[in-house]
Amino acid sequence: MSKTLSIVIPAYNEGPTIHFILDKVRAVVLSGGLQKEIIIVNDCSTDDTEAAIQRYQQENPGFNIQYYKHEVNKGKGAALHTGIREATGDYVIIQDADLEYDPEEYNILLKPVLDEVADVVYGSRFMGGKPHRILFFWHSIGNKFLTFLSNAMTNLNLTDMETCYKLFRRETIQSLKLKEQRFGFEPEVTAKIARIPGIRIYEVGISYYGRTYAEGKKINWKDGFRAIYCILKYNL
Protein backbone atom coordinates (compact mmCIF):
# COMPACT_ATOMS: atom_id res chain seq x y z
CA MET A 1 0.00 0.00 0.00
CA SER A 2 1.22 3.51 -0.81
CA LYS A 3 1.97 5.80 2.08
CA THR A 4 0.74 9.37 2.57
CA LEU A 5 2.33 12.70 3.47
CA SER A 6 0.04 15.02 5.44
CA ILE A 7 0.83 18.65 4.59
CA VAL A 8 -0.41 20.98 7.35
CA ILE A 9 -0.97 24.56 6.19
CA PRO A 10 -1.93 27.20 8.78
CA ALA A 11 -3.49 30.22 7.08
CA TYR A 12 -4.26 33.71 8.30
CA ASN A 13 -5.18 36.44 5.80
CA GLU A 14 -3.54 34.69 2.85
CA GLY A 15 -6.49 35.10 0.46
CA PRO A 16 -4.57 36.80 -2.40
CA THR A 17 -1.76 34.22 -2.53
CA ILE A 18 -2.88 30.89 -1.05
CA HIS A 19 -3.76 29.51 -4.49
CA PHE A 20 -0.10 29.95 -5.50
CA ILE A 21 1.18 27.71 -2.72
CA LEU A 22 -1.58 25.17 -3.36
CA ASP A 23 -0.57 25.06 -7.04
CA LYS A 24 3.00 24.34 -5.97
CA VAL A 25 1.93 21.62 -3.54
CA ARG A 26 -0.32 20.02 -6.17
CA ALA A 27 2.50 19.99 -8.75
CA VAL A 28 4.97 18.11 -6.54
CA VAL A 29 5.54 14.45 -7.33
CA LEU A 30 6.58 12.78 -4.08
CA SER A 31 9.29 10.15 -3.80
CA GLY A 32 8.35 6.53 -3.17
CA GLY A 33 4.88 6.96 -4.68
CA LEU A 34 3.64 8.87 -1.61
CA GLN A 35 0.17 10.37 -1.79
CA LYS A 36 -0.68 13.85 -0.47
CA GLU A 37 -3.20 14.87 2.18
CA ILE A 38 -3.47 18.67 2.43
CA ILE A 39 -4.85 19.99 5.71
CA ILE A 40 -5.59 23.73 5.70
CA VAL A 41 -6.46 25.43 8.99
CA ASN A 42 -7.91 28.92 8.58
CA ASP A 43 -7.18 30.78 11.82
CA CYS A 44 -10.21 33.10 11.61
CA SER A 45 -8.92 35.19 8.71
CA THR A 46 -10.53 38.58 8.17
CA ASP A 47 -9.97 38.64 4.40
CA ASP A 48 -11.26 36.26 1.70
CA THR A 49 -8.98 33.35 2.66
CA GLU A 50 -11.94 31.01 3.19
CA ALA A 51 -13.53 31.90 -0.15
CA ALA A 52 -10.19 31.42 -1.92
CA ILE A 53 -9.74 27.95 -0.38
CA GLN A 54 -13.29 26.87 -1.15
CA ARG A 55 -12.96 28.12 -4.72
CA TYR A 56 -9.74 26.13 -5.09
CA GLN A 57 -11.45 22.99 -3.77
CA GLN A 58 -14.25 23.39 -6.31
CA GLU A 59 -11.81 23.93 -9.18
CA ASN A 60 -9.66 20.92 -8.17
CA PRO A 61 -12.11 18.22 -7.02
CA GLY A 62 -9.52 15.43 -7.24
CA PHE A 63 -7.05 17.22 -4.95
CA ASN A 64 -7.24 15.90 -1.37
CA ILE A 65 -7.79 19.10 0.63
CA GLN A 66 -9.19 18.88 4.16
CA TYR A 67 -10.38 22.30 5.37
CA TYR A 68 -10.78 23.42 9.00
CA LYS A 69 -11.61 26.83 10.42
CA HIS A 70 -11.13 28.47 13.82
CA GLU A 71 -14.07 30.65 14.81
CA VAL A 72 -11.72 32.94 16.78
CA ASN A 73 -8.13 33.85 16.00
CA LYS A 74 -5.85 31.68 18.17
CA GLY A 75 -2.44 31.92 16.52
CA LYS A 76 -0.21 29.89 14.22
CA GLY A 77 0.63 27.33 16.90
CA ALA A 78 -3.05 26.66 17.58
CA ALA A 79 -3.68 26.20 13.84
CA LEU A 80 -0.82 23.69 13.74
CA HIS A 81 -2.27 21.82 16.72
CA THR A 82 -5.55 21.42 14.83
CA GLY A 83 -3.84 20.31 11.63
CA ILE A 84 -1.56 17.82 13.38
CA ARG A 85 -4.49 16.36 15.30
CA GLU A 86 -6.48 15.83 12.09
CA ALA A 87 -3.60 14.35 10.07
CA THR A 88 -3.99 10.73 8.98
CA GLY A 89 -0.88 10.30 6.81
CA ASP A 90 2.24 8.30 7.64
CA TYR A 91 4.31 11.50 7.76
CA VAL A 92 3.48 15.11 8.59
CA ILE A 93 5.17 18.24 7.23
CA ILE A 94 4.42 21.87 8.06
CA GLN A 95 3.94 24.29 5.17
CA ASP A 96 3.37 28.03 5.58
CA ALA A 97 0.64 29.46 3.36
CA ASP A 98 2.99 32.13 2.00
CA LEU A 99 5.67 31.58 -0.65
CA GLU A 100 8.77 31.60 1.58
CA TYR A 101 9.35 27.83 1.36
CA ASP A 102 9.32 25.70 -1.79
CA PRO A 103 7.21 22.50 -1.80
CA GLU A 104 9.47 21.14 -4.55
CA GLU A 105 11.90 20.41 -1.70
CA TYR A 106 9.60 18.01 0.20
CA ASN A 107 11.56 15.12 -1.26
CA ILE A 108 14.79 16.48 0.23
CA LEU A 109 13.20 16.25 3.69
CA LEU A 110 11.56 12.92 2.97
CA LYS A 111 14.74 11.12 1.92
CA PRO A 112 16.20 10.44 5.40
CA VAL A 113 12.78 9.19 6.59
CA LEU A 114 12.15 7.00 3.55
CA ASP A 115 15.70 5.66 3.90
CA GLU A 116 14.69 4.58 7.44
CA VAL A 117 17.46 6.56 9.14
CA ALA A 118 15.37 9.45 10.56
CA ASP A 119 12.18 10.02 12.54
CA VAL A 120 12.26 13.84 12.32
CA VAL A 121 13.82 16.06 9.64
CA TYR A 122 14.37 19.83 9.91
CA GLY A 123 14.89 21.92 6.78
CA SER A 124 17.68 24.42 7.45
CA ARG A 125 17.83 27.81 5.71
CA PHE A 126 21.45 28.19 6.85
CA MET A 127 23.17 25.13 5.39
CA GLY A 128 23.74 23.89 1.86
CA GLY A 129 23.85 25.78 -1.42
CA LYS A 130 20.16 26.56 -1.92
CA PRO A 131 18.85 30.09 -2.77
CA HIS A 132 18.34 32.33 0.25
CA ARG A 133 16.79 35.78 -0.03
CA ILE A 134 18.82 38.52 1.66
CA LEU A 135 16.61 40.48 4.05
CA PHE A 136 16.86 41.38 7.74
CA PHE A 137 20.21 41.36 9.57
CA TRP A 138 18.69 41.43 13.06
CA HIS A 139 16.27 38.64 12.17
CA SER A 140 19.19 36.42 11.18
CA ILE A 141 21.03 37.28 14.41
CA GLY A 142 17.84 36.54 16.37
CA ASN A 143 17.35 33.20 14.62
CA LYS A 144 20.92 32.14 15.29
CA PHE A 145 20.72 33.20 18.94
CA LEU A 146 17.44 31.31 19.48
CA THR A 147 18.89 28.22 17.79
CA PHE A 148 22.05 28.49 19.95
CA LEU A 149 20.00 28.82 23.16
CA SER A 150 17.73 25.94 22.16
CA ASN A 151 20.72 23.75 21.31
CA ALA A 152 22.36 24.55 24.65
CA MET A 153 19.22 23.31 26.40
CA THR A 154 18.46 20.27 24.22
CA ASN A 155 22.06 19.22 23.46
CA LEU A 156 21.21 19.14 19.75
CA ASN A 157 23.37 20.77 17.05
CA LEU A 158 20.68 22.22 14.79
CA THR A 159 21.50 25.19 12.58
CA ASP A 160 17.89 26.42 12.19
CA MET A 161 15.50 25.62 15.04
CA GLU A 162 13.02 28.29 13.88
CA THR A 163 12.53 26.83 10.39
CA CYS A 164 9.00 26.23 9.15
CA TYR A 165 9.93 23.00 7.36
CA LYS A 166 9.79 20.24 9.93
CA LEU A 167 8.84 16.70 8.93
CA PHE A 168 7.75 14.07 11.45
CA ARG A 169 6.49 10.53 11.53
CA ARG A 170 2.82 11.07 12.35
CA GLU A 171 2.80 8.93 15.48
CA THR A 172 5.81 10.90 16.79
CA ILE A 173 4.30 14.38 16.46
CA GLN A 174 0.83 13.26 17.58
CA SER A 175 2.31 11.78 20.75
CA LEU A 176 3.34 15.23 22.00
CA LYS A 177 1.13 17.44 24.15
CA LEU A 178 1.73 20.82 22.55
CA LYS A 179 0.53 24.03 24.23
CA GLU A 180 1.98 27.10 22.50
CA GLN A 181 -0.65 29.01 20.55
CA ARG A 182 1.57 31.35 18.52
CA PHE A 183 5.15 31.25 17.25
CA GLY A 184 6.32 29.51 20.43
CA PHE A 185 5.47 26.27 18.61
CA GLU A 186 9.01 25.95 17.19
CA PRO A 187 11.01 25.95 20.45
CA GLU A 188 8.34 23.92 22.24
CA VAL A 189 8.19 21.13 19.66
CA THR A 190 11.99 21.05 19.45
CA ALA A 191 12.33 20.73 23.22
CA LYS A 192 9.76 17.95 23.42
CA ILE A 193 11.06 16.06 20.39
CA ALA A 194 14.60 16.14 21.83
CA ARG A 195 13.42 14.34 24.98
CA ILE A 196 11.99 11.30 23.16
CA PRO A 197 14.31 8.34 23.89
CA GLY A 198 16.15 7.12 20.80
CA ILE A 199 14.70 9.80 18.49
CA ARG A 200 16.64 10.21 15.23
CA ILE A 201 16.72 13.87 14.12
CA TYR A 202 18.26 14.93 10.80
CA GLU A 203 18.73 18.32 9.13
CA VAL A 204 18.88 19.09 5.40
CA GLY A 205 19.55 22.31 3.49
CA ILE A 206 16.57 24.09 1.92
CA SER A 207 15.85 27.32 0.00
CA TYR A 208 14.30 30.40 1.57
CA TYR A 209 12.30 33.02 -0.35
CA GLY A 210 11.63 35.39 2.57
CA ARG A 211 8.91 38.03 2.64
CA THR A 212 9.11 41.61 3.85
CA TYR A 213 6.50 43.02 6.24
CA ALA A 214 4.94 44.87 3.29
CA GLU A 215 4.55 41.48 1.59
CA GLY A 216 2.79 39.99 4.61
CA LYS A 217 5.44 38.77 7.07
CA LYS A 218 3.82 38.49 10.53
CA ILE A 219 6.45 37.49 13.10
CA ASN A 220 7.92 40.36 15.18
CA TRP A 221 10.33 41.12 18.03
CA LYS A 222 7.73 40.21 20.67
CA ASP A 223 7.64 36.67 19.28
CA GLY A 224 11.43 36.53 19.72
CA PHE A 225 11.11 37.22 23.45
CA ARG A 226 8.32 34.64 23.67
CA ALA A 227 10.62 32.12 21.98
CA ILE A 228 13.30 32.72 24.63
CA TYR A 229 10.69 32.16 27.34
CA CYS A 230 9.52 28.95 25.64
CA ILE A 231 13.06 27.60 25.30
CA LEU A 232 13.58 28.04 29.02
CA LYS A 233 10.08 26.88 30.00
CA TYR A 234 10.05 23.63 28.03
CA ASN A 235 13.65 22.62 28.67
CA LEU A 236 14.07 23.36 32.41
Side-chain angles (χ1 to χ4, degrees), residues 3-67:
K3 294 186 175 182
T4 300
L5 175 67
S6 294
I7 302 160
V8 177
I9 306 178
Y12 178 68
N13 289 351
E14 302 286 357
T17 59
I18 194 166
H19 64 284
F20 290 124
I21 197 65
L22 291 174
D23 282 343
K24 285 180 171 288
V25 171
R26 185 163 57 92
V28 174
V29 177
L30 297 178
S31 300
L34 262 69
Q35 303 299 307
K36 286 174 280 190
E37 174 188 61
I38 293 79
I39 301 172
I40 306 175
V41 183
N42 177 9
D43 191 32
C44 195
S45 296
T46 57
D47 68 353
D48 66 341
T49 294
E50 180 170 62
I53 294 167
Q54 292 173 339
R55 184 165 56 249
Y56 199 93
Q57 286 178 298
Q58 293 170 0
E59 294 171 354
N60 300 274
F63 193 36
N64 182 12
I65 297 177
Q66 309 297 320
Y67 175 62

Side-chain angles (χ1 to χ4, degrees), residues 195-234:
R195 289 203 296 270
I196 298 176
I199 195 76
R200 300 171 300 174
I201 304 171
Y202 271 62
E203 196 175 43
V204 295
I206 60 168
S207 308
Y208 182 60
Y209 303 90
R211 294 197 297 183
T212 65
Y213 285 100
E215 293 166 335
K217 194 171 188 67
K218 298 178 179 69
I219 196 167
N220 59 45
W221 63 270
K222 293 180 182 177
D223 297 303
F225 282 106
R226 179 69 186 183
I228 294 172
Y229 169 78
C230 291
I231 291 170
L232 299 175
K233 176 180 179 181
Y234 296 109

